[in-house]
């Protein structure tokens, strides 16, 4: 058994994803939610922003270095040396420090936004009640008596407030899914609108009613009812702006992973760039196969061999023509008759054959192993109590017969670090419990699955950075390109508008389908 | 020099041969206004619905008279054959009381152009 199979891995469940609804653009509106959950175990992706307006998106770093503008390259370049097993590499340190500082900074921002929105919400909710109660408290004796009409209005205010409360809870009280760099424009606008609205109502109330001690109580109550009606309409506006407007698909985005070219297409509505990035990332975890650095080494070594062995000697003088040298090298490498394409072809064919052979052995071994297990029915369970096993023990009993074949297959397809022995045993007992066939058990190992399927330690992609030329709160438009970078790879996103479709109709009478025979006879005379 | 297509019109006189109770001419026809002109291998214009000679039996009266495969029959004994159905064409060729049929046919042939002689 290799060490990879012996290590224990904690199978941290991703089941809290299933609790969310499947709307295409859930937002992490956390501002109204007062009880904050601990973010230690949550799967938050923190997206930080880098908007360098002066730089092009794919910066021409090479040309700048050649022009000699970067004079400090000697001090700022770091040499990456090989690391031993017991030290932490430079990348890990960068990752850890980034984790620390990002989590602290963004939490403050989130708390601030949350408290502002909570206070505003509470104020807004209590305002109509205050409008109705204040005259009763302050100048009760002067008020005109207002019988049935007012009581009817009280009931309507109560129910409308209840509806508003339920609606606000349904729309805004949701678990935060993500941290985004900039404020949501529409949300901020709505908060400002609500604030101005309530402020102007209070102003009018304070000046005209409190100061002058208006005695027409029915008018005051109707004023409070109008406030609640207007709040309901603002709630409707919030639904339309925040939820409905993005439902209709307007853009198709193409997402390409930079390391291996795997690409997918998604449909989006009118979203801001940061929200589109969120949607893309959410879909990335379930659609793209997991990033496996072991699969990339082959192409890198081929590329290295291609350019190796070419040296440039400058015989004309001490002039240092760097671009000319590199061009000469490229031309020479292209003209060189190497047989690397041949090697690639035979290597790939050989690898495929090996994988198929190992796969066949694995399938046979697993099928044989599964035949040793039989599920006991309820009646049989009383008859043979001595030999009964629970799923875990059954899994452990049949695991050794398939372990070797499985390990060899995983090694050949370079997936061995994604599956530890403990995870395989757990999956096996899970399959046995749910009456799955050997093929269903193997589906997890035969092909690399999406990132969500694997242990979180193996993801290589938890912190994302959005790199964009446009402001990230601006809306999507045709032709926008932005990049979602994580430490090891990046996703290049290309936005295209769905074309305007001209659909016309043509009516065909069912009786108009008529046919003739095409003849070509030959007659002898 | 180069090849060009030329169309010749020829008059062919066929004497029918008696075989038992029938008078046969010794060739087969294809085409007609009720047929599919695109399947005609001999016509230059694939919308041509005329009557074409599709086969000539060896040693038969048609071959003796000089009829060739691919000829388009324009007239039979004065009757026009360019706008007839397949069955009408057959009937006009196989009239029982006629022993001799005179055909006007169009034939395409490949000729070498007489360019050199004109230039010299």
């Amino acid at each position: 058994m290799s060490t990879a199979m012996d290590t224990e891995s904690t199978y941290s469940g991703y089941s809290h994803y299933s609790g969310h609804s499947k709307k295409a653009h859930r937002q992490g509106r956390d501002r109204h939610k007062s009880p904050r959950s601990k973010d230690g175990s949550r799967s938050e992706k923190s997206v930080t922003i880098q908007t360098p307006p002066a730089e092009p998106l794919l910066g021409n770093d090479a040309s700048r270095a050649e022009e000699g503008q970067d004079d400090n390259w000697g001090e700022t370049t770091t040499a990456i040396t090989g690391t031993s097993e017991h030290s932490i590499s430079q990348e890990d340190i960068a990752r850890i420090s980034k984790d620390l500082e990002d989590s602290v900074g963004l939490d403050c921002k989130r708390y601030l936004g949350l408290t502002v929105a909570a206070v505003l919400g509470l104020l807004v909710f209590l305002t109509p009640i205050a409008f109705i109660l204040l005259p009763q408290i302050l100048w009760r004796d002067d008020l005109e008596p207002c019988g049935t009409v007012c009581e009817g209005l009280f009931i309507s205010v109560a129910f409308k407030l209840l509806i508003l409360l339920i609606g606000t809870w349904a729309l805004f009280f949701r678990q935060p899914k993500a941290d985004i760099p900039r404020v949501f424009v529409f949300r901020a606008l709505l908060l400002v609108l609500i604030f101005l609205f309530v402020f102007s109502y209070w102003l009018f109330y304070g000046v005209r009613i409190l100061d002058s001690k208006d005695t027409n109580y029915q008018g005051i109550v109707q004023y409070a009812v109008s406030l609640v009606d207007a709040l309901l309409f603002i709630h409707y506006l919030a639904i339309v702006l925040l939820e409905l407007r993005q439902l209709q698909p307007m853009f198709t985005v193409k997402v390409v992973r930079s390391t291996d070219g795997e690409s997918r297409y998604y449909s989006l509505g009118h979203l801001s760039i940061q929200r589109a990035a969120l949607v893309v990332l959410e879909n990335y975890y379930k659609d793209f196969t997991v990033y496996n650095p072991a699969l990339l080494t082959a192409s890198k070594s081929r590329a290295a061999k291609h350019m190796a062995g070419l040296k440039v000697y400058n015989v004309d003088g001490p002039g240092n023509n760097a671009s000319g040298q590199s061009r000469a090298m490229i031309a020479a490498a292209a003209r060189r008759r190497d047989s690397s394409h041949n090697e690639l072809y035979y290597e790939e064919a050989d690898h495929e054959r090996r994988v198929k052979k190992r796969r066949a052995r694995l399938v046979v071994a697993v099928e044989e192993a599964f035949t040793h297990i039989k599920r006991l029915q309820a009646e049989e369970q009383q008859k043979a109590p001595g030999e009964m096993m629970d799923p875990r023990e059954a899994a452990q009993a049949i695991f050794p017969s398939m372990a070797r074949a499985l390990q060899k297959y995983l090694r050949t397809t370079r997936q061995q670090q994604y599956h530890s022995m403990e995870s395989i045993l757990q999956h096996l007992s899970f399959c046995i419990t749910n009456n799955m066939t050997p093929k269903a058990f193997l589906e997890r190992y035969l092909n690399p699955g999406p990132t969500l399927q694997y242990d979180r330690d193996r993801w290589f992609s938890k912190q994302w950075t959005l790199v964009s030329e446009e402001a990230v709160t601006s809306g999507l438009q045709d032709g926008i390109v932005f990049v979602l970078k994580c430490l090891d790879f990046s996703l290049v996103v290309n936005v295209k508008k769905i074309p305007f479709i001209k659909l016309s109709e043509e009516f065909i009478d069912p009786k108009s389908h008529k046919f003739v025979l095409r003849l070509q006879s030959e007659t002898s005379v | 020099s180069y090849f060009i297509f030329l169309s010749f019109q020829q008059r062919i006189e066929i004497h029918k041969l008696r075989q038992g109770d029938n008078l046969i001419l010794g060739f087969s026809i294809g085409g007609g206004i009720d047929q599919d002109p695109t399947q005609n291998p001999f016509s230059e214009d694939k919308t041509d619905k005329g009557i074409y000679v599709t086969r000539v039996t060896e040693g038969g009266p048609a071959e003796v008279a000089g009829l060739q495969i691919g000829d388009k029959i324009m007239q039979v004994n004065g009757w026009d054959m360019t706008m007839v159905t397949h069955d009408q064409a057959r009937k006009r060729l196989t009239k029982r009381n006629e022993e001799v049929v005179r055909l006007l046919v169009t034939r395409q042939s490949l000729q070498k152009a007489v360019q050199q002689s004109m230039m010299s």
Side-chain angles (χ1 to χ4, degrees), chain A residues 127-387:
Chain A
T127 299
I129 303 176
F131 283 2
I132 296 176
L133 287 180
L134 278 175
Q136 296 273 358
I137 296 171
L138 293 177
W139 61 93
R140 195 195 190 107
D141 309 318
D142 300 334
L143 283 178
E144 289 171 18
C146 161
T148 1
V149 182
C150 274
E151 282 159 18
L153 288 174
F154 288 154
I155 291 177
S156 85
V157 165
F159 274 104
K160 281 179 188 165
L161 278 179
L162 180 68
I163 290 173
L164 194 62
L165 191 65
I166 294 176
T168 312
W169 170 81
L171 190 61
F172 300 125
F173 280 42
R174 280 180 285 192
Q175 306 276 355
K177 292 183 306 176
D179 272 333
I180 46 144
R182 305 270 170 171
V183 143
F184 279 135
V185 170
F186 281 141
R187 280 189 209 171
L189 277 178
L190 275 172
L191 283 179
V192 167
L193 178 69
I194 291 177
F195 176 72
L196 284 176
F197 175 75
V198 170
F199 180 73
S200 61
Y201 260 70
W202 268 111
L203 202 64
F204 181 84
Y205 188 78
V207 167
R208 288 301 200 86
I209 299 182
L210 282 181
D211 278 354
S212 61
K213 293 207 191 287
D214 192 10
T215 56
N216 180 8
Y217 191 52
Q218 184 177 334
I220 296 174
V221 176
Q222 274 176 338
Y223 183 67
V225 173
S226 80
L227 170 66
V228 182
D229 287 340
L231 283 178
L232 278 173
F233 285 130
I234 291 185
H235 188 258
Y236 156 78
L237 188 69
I239 293 179
V240 164
L241 278 183
L242 298 180
E243 303 280 325
L244 286 182
R245 190 166 172 260
Q246 293 102 29
L247 279 180
Q248 189 176 37
M250 294 286 302
F251 298 100
T252 308
V253 301
K254 176 176 184 180
V255 186
V256 183
R257 185 158 58 184
S258 65
T259 48
D260 57 359
E262 186 168 345
S263 64
R264 291 274 189 289
Y265 285 86
Y266 299 113
S267 280
L268 297 177
H270 275 294
L271 292 175
S272 59
I273 291 183
Q274 59 187 5
R275 287 184 62 193
L278 268 185
V279 172
V280 164
L281 283 177
E282 281 159 22
N283 284 316
Y284 168 79
Y285 281 98
K286 80 163 166 62
D287 281 335
F288 279 71
T289 60
V290 65
Y291 168 70
N292 196 348
L295 292 171
L296 304 169
T297 50
S299 59
K300 281 191 195 158
S301 63
R302 265 203 304 277
K305 266 196 277 177
H306 188 64
M307 292 293 267
L310 284 177
K311 282 196 179 147
V312 179
Y313 294 99
N314 203 332
V315 292
D316 289 330
N320 189 17
N321 187 4
S323 61
Q325 272 184 12
S326 40
R327 254 184 270 144
M329 272 190 83
I330 293 171
R335 255 180 262 132
R336 184 163 82 155
R337 252 212 263 158
D338 69 69
S339 56
S340 58
H341 59 279
N342 237 356
E343 278 177 37
L344 171 66
Y345 170 68
Y346 284 115
E347 205 180 290
E348 278 193 350
D350 199 36
H351 182 255
E352 257 197 59
R353 240 183 351 103
R354 244 182 302 140
V355 165
K356 282 192 178 150
K357 239 192 190 169
R358 292 251 165 105
R359 181 196 164 118
R361 285 203 191 123
L362 173 64
V363 168
V364 164
V366 172
E367 281 172 358
E368 274 186 37
F370 267 65
T371 57
H372 297 314
I373 294 260
K374 183 174 162 291
R375 177 176 273 266
L376 281 180
Q377 302 302 320
E379 316 79 47
E380 297 166 337
Q381 277 180 19
Q382 283 98 33
K383 287 181 199 166
E387 301 152 5

Side-chain angles (χ1 to χ4, degrees), chain A residues 19-65:
Chain A
H20 295 273
S21 79
K22 300 282 184 285
K23 277 193 241 170
H25 47 273
R26 302 276 314 202
Q27 312 161 20
R29 179 141 196 177
D30 55 348
R31 295 169 194 207
H32 292 283
K33 189 174 190 324
S34 329
R36 283 277 301 151
S37 58
K38 292 191 197 126
D39 53 357
S41 62
R42 300 209 58 78
S43 62
E44 285 139 358
K45 304 163 280 233
S46 56
V47 181
T48 56
I49 182 177
Q50 274 181 20
T51 48
E55 283 178 19
L57 178 64
L58 304 168
N60 298 330
D61 291 312
S63 60
R64 269 196 289 139

Side-chain angles (χ1 to χ4, degrees), chain A residues 518-525, chain B residues 26-29 35-36 54 86:
Chain A
R518 287 162 82 86
L519 302 167
Q520 185 61 26
S521 357
E522 193 185 349
T523 322
S524 54
V525 292
Chain B
F27 65 96
S28 300
I29 53 167
Q35 305 283 311
D36 178 18
T54 54
H86 191 83

